[in-house]
PDB file of all heavy atoms in Angstrom:
ATOM      1  N   ILE A  14     -12.852 -37.236  33.606  1.00 82.00           N
ATOM      2  CA  ILE A  14     -13.606 -36.349  34.486  1.00 82.00           C
ATOM      3  C   ILE A  14     -15.077 -36.360  34.121  1.00 82.00           C
ATOM      4  O   ILE A  14     -15.964 -36.370  34.998  1.00 82.00           O
ATOM      5  CB  ILE A  14     -13.033 -34.919  34.411  1.00 82.00           C
ATOM      6  CG1 ILE A  14     -11.613 -34.888  34.988  1.00 82.00           C
ATOM      7  CG2 ILE A  14     -13.913 -33.929  35.139  1.00 82.00           C
ATOM      8  CD1 ILE A  14     -10.904 -33.568  34.783  1.00 82.00           C
ATOM      9  N   PHE A  18     -18.181 -37.462  36.522  1.00 79.00           N
ATOM     10  CA  PHE A  18     -19.281 -36.541  36.774  1.00 79.00           C
ATOM     11  C   PHE A  18     -20.618 -37.210  36.450  1.00 79.00           C
ATOM     12  O   PHE A  18     -21.586 -37.107  37.203  1.00 79.00           O
ATOM     13  CB  PHE A  18     -19.109 -35.276  35.938  1.00 79.00           C
ATOM     14  CG  PHE A  18     -20.211 -34.280  36.112  1.00 79.00           C
ATOM     15  CD1 PHE A  18     -20.225 -33.452  37.218  1.00 79.00           C
ATOM     16  CD2 PHE A  18     -21.250 -34.180  35.189  1.00 79.00           C
ATOM     17  CE1 PHE A  18     -21.245 -32.528  37.401  1.00 79.00           C
ATOM     18  CE2 PHE A  18     -22.273 -33.269  35.371  1.00 79.00           C
ATOM     19  CZ  PHE A  18     -22.272 -32.439  36.479  1.00 79.00           C
ATOM     20  N   TRP A  60     -15.279 -13.171  23.779  1.00 62.00           N
ATOM     21  CA  TRP A  60     -13.948 -13.591  23.327  1.00 62.00           C
ATOM     22  C   TRP A  60     -13.557 -12.964  21.994  1.00 62.00           C
ATOM     23  O   TRP A  60     -12.438 -12.449  21.861  1.00 62.00           O
ATOM     24  CB  TRP A  60     -13.895 -15.122  23.251  1.00 62.00           C
ATOM     25  CG  TRP A  60     -12.561 -15.662  22.833  1.00 62.00           C
ATOM     26  CD1 TRP A  60     -11.430 -15.728  23.573  1.00 62.00           C
ATOM     27  CD2 TRP A  60     -12.232 -16.232  21.562  1.00 62.00           C
ATOM     28  NE1 TRP A  60     -10.396 -16.296  22.860  1.00 62.00           N
ATOM     29  CE2 TRP A  60     -10.865 -16.620  21.619  1.00 62.00           C
ATOM     30  CE3 TRP A  60     -12.954 -16.455  20.389  1.00 62.00           C
ATOM     31  CZ2 TRP A  60     -10.222 -17.199  20.539  1.00 62.00           C
ATOM     32  CZ3 TRP A  60     -12.305 -17.053  19.320  1.00 62.00           C
ATOM     33  CH2 TRP A  60     -10.949 -17.416  19.398  1.00 62.00           C
ATOM     34  N   TYR A  70      -5.827 -13.362  15.702  1.00 57.00           N
ATOM     35  CA  TYR A  70      -6.558 -13.953  14.585  1.00 57.00           C
ATOM     36  C   TYR A  70      -6.743 -12.979  13.415  1.00 57.00           C
ATOM     37  O   TYR A  70      -7.469 -13.287  12.468  1.00 57.00           O
ATOM     38  CB  TYR A  70      -7.921 -14.473  15.068  1.00 57.00           C
ATOM     39  CG  TYR A  70      -7.795 -15.728  15.886  1.00 57.00           C
ATOM     40  CD1 TYR A  70      -7.613 -15.667  17.260  1.00 57.00           C
ATOM     41  CD2 TYR A  70      -7.814 -16.979  15.286  1.00 57.00           C
ATOM     42  CE1 TYR A  70      -7.483 -16.818  18.020  1.00 57.00           C
ATOM     43  CE2 TYR A  70      -7.682 -18.140  16.032  1.00 57.00           C
ATOM     44  CZ  TYR A  70      -7.513 -18.053  17.401  1.00 57.00           C
ATOM     45  OH  TYR A  70      -7.367 -19.202  18.146  1.00 57.00           O
ATOM     46  N   LEU A  77     -11.858  -8.127   5.885  1.00 92.00           N
ATOM     47  CA  LEU A  77     -11.618  -7.553   4.559  1.00 92.00           C
ATOM     48  C   LEU A  77     -11.490  -8.645   3.504  1.00 92.00           C
ATOM     49  O   LEU A  77     -11.927  -8.472   2.365  1.00 92.00           O
ATOM     50  CB  LEU A  77     -10.365  -6.681   4.586  1.00 92.00           C
ATOM     51  CG  LEU A  77     -10.492  -5.398   5.423  1.00 92.00           C
ATOM     52  CD1 LEU A  77      -9.157  -4.669   5.497  1.00 92.00           C
ATOM     53  CD2 LEU A  77     -11.562  -4.470   4.835  1.00 92.00           C
ATOM     54  N   ALA A  96       3.469  -0.795   5.095  1.00 60.00           N
ATOM     55  CA  ALA A  96       4.830  -1.333   5.237  1.00 60.00           C
ATOM     56  C   ALA A  96       4.932  -2.654   4.496  1.00 60.00           C
ATOM     57  O   ALA A  96       4.310  -3.637   4.873  1.00 60.00           O
ATOM     58  CB  ALA A  96       5.177  -1.531   6.713  1.00 60.00           C
ATOM     59  N   VAL A 112      -4.260 -15.457   1.550  1.00 83.00           N
ATOM     60  CA  VAL A 112      -4.421 -16.818   2.054  1.00 83.00           C
ATOM     61  C   VAL A 112      -5.836 -17.021   2.587  1.00 83.00           C
ATOM     62  O   VAL A 112      -6.450 -18.080   2.403  1.00 83.00           O
ATOM     63  CB  VAL A 112      -3.379 -17.110   3.161  1.00 83.00           C
ATOM     64  CG1 VAL A 112      -3.700 -18.423   3.864  1.00 83.00           C
ATOM     65  CG2 VAL A 112      -1.984 -17.152   2.575  1.00 83.00           C
ATOM     66  N   MET A 114      -8.538 -15.461   1.602  1.00 88.00           N
ATOM     67  CA  MET A 114      -9.564 -15.330   0.571  1.00 88.00           C
ATOM     68  C   MET A 114      -9.843 -16.655  -0.119  1.00 88.00           C
ATOM     69  O   MET A 114      -8.932 -17.465  -0.330  1.00 88.00           O
ATOM     70  CB  MET A 114      -9.138 -14.296  -0.479  1.00 88.00           C
ATOM     71  CG  MET A 114      -9.140 -12.870   0.003  1.00 88.00           C
ATOM     72  SD  MET A 114      -8.629 -11.706  -1.300  1.00 88.00           S
ATOM     73  CE  MET A 114      -9.939 -11.976  -2.522  1.00 88.00           C
ATOM     74  N   SER A 168     -20.412   0.184   6.370  1.00 89.00           N
ATOM     75  CA  SER A 168     -21.100  -1.101   6.347  1.00 89.00           C
ATOM     76  C   SER A 168     -20.674  -1.935   7.544  1.00 89.00           C
ATOM     77  O   SER A 168     -19.530  -1.838   8.005  1.00 89.00           O
ATOM     78  CB  SER A 168     -20.784  -1.854   5.043  1.00 89.00           C
ATOM     79  OG  SER A 168     -21.281  -3.178   5.084  1.00 89.00           O
ATOM     80  N   GLU A 173     -14.396  -0.058  10.340  1.00 90.00           N
ATOM     81  CA  GLU A 173     -14.583   1.366  10.088  1.00 90.00           C
ATOM     82  C   GLU A 173     -13.380   1.949   9.346  1.00 90.00           C
ATOM     83  O   GLU A 173     -12.226   1.630   9.648  1.00 90.00           O
ATOM     84  CB  GLU A 173     -14.775   2.099  11.419  1.00 90.00           C
ATOM     85  CG  GLU A 173     -15.110   3.568  11.280  1.00 90.00           C
ATOM     86  CD  GLU A 173     -15.349   4.237  12.609  1.00 90.00           C
ATOM     87  OE1 GLU A 173     -15.255   3.529  13.648  1.00 90.00           O
ATOM     88  OE2 GLU A 173     -15.621   5.455  12.626  1.00 90.00           O
ATOM     89  N   SER A 175     -12.086   1.459   6.391  1.00 94.00           N
ATOM     90  CA  SER A 175     -11.170   0.474   5.798  1.00 94.00           C
ATOM     91  C   SER A 175     -11.337   0.316   4.295  1.00 94.00           C
ATOM     92  O   SER A 175     -10.443  -0.204   3.626  1.00 94.00           O
ATOM     93  CB  SER A 175     -11.365  -0.894   6.463  1.00 94.00           C
ATOM     94  OG  SER A 175     -12.686  -1.376   6.245  1.00 94.00           O
ATOM     95  N   LEU A 261      10.473  -4.607 -11.724  1.00 97.00           N
ATOM     96  CA  LEU A 261      10.577  -3.212 -12.135  1.00 97.00           C
ATOM     97  C   LEU A 261      10.763  -2.293 -10.932  1.00 97.00           C
ATOM     98  O   LEU A 261      10.148  -2.491  -9.879  1.00 97.00           O
ATOM     99  CB  LEU A 261       9.302  -2.801 -12.878  1.00 97.00           C
ATOM    100  CG  LEU A 261       9.215  -1.338 -13.333  1.00 97.00           C
ATOM    101  CD1 LEU A 261      10.146  -1.081 -14.505  1.00 97.00           C
ATOM    102  CD2 LEU A 261       7.772  -0.979 -13.689  1.00 97.00           C
ATOM    103  N   TYR A 299      11.780  10.449  -3.029  1.00 97.00           N
ATOM    104  CA  TYR A 299      12.384  11.449  -2.145  1.00 97.00           C
ATOM    105  C   TYR A 299      13.892  11.535  -2.375  1.00 97.00           C
ATOM    106  O   TYR A 299      14.590  10.512  -2.365  1.00 97.00           O
ATOM    107  CB  TYR A 299      12.103  11.103  -0.683  1.00 97.00           C
ATOM    108  CG  TYR A 299      10.632  11.004  -0.365  1.00 97.00           C
ATOM    109  CD1 TYR A 299       9.975   9.781  -0.418  1.00 97.00           C
ATOM    110  CD2 TYR A 299       9.897  12.140  -0.032  1.00 97.00           C
ATOM    111  CE1 TYR A 299       8.620   9.685  -0.143  1.00 97.00           C
ATOM    112  CE2 TYR A 299       8.538  12.050   0.246  1.00 97.00           C
ATOM    113  CZ  TYR A 299       7.905  10.823   0.197  1.00 97.00           C
ATOM    114  OH  TYR A 299       6.566  10.726   0.462  1.00 97.00           O
ATOM    115  N   GLU A 356      33.547  38.377   4.705  1.00 46.00           N
ATOM    116  CA  GLU A 356      33.878  37.092   4.082  1.00 46.00           C
ATOM    117  C   GLU A 356      33.957  37.253   2.568  1.00 46.00           C
ATOM    118  O   GLU A 356      34.792  36.633   1.909  1.00 46.00           O
ATOM    119  CB  GLU A 356      32.826  36.062   4.467  1.00 46.00           C
ATOM    120  CG  GLU A 356      32.888  35.670   5.938  1.00 46.00           C
ATOM    121  CD  GLU A 356      31.734  34.770   6.300  1.00 46.00           C
ATOM    122  OE1 GLU A 356      30.703  34.828   5.611  1.00 46.00           O
ATOM    123  OE2 GLU A 356      31.851  34.009   7.266  1.00 46.00           O
TER     124      GLU A 356
END
Side-chain angles (χ1 to χ4, degrees):
I14 294 172
F18 179 79
W60 182 74
Y70 287 89
L77 292 175
V112 170
M114 290 180 62
S168 171
E173 186 178 0
S175 62
L261 178 73
Y299 302 93
E356 291 174 336

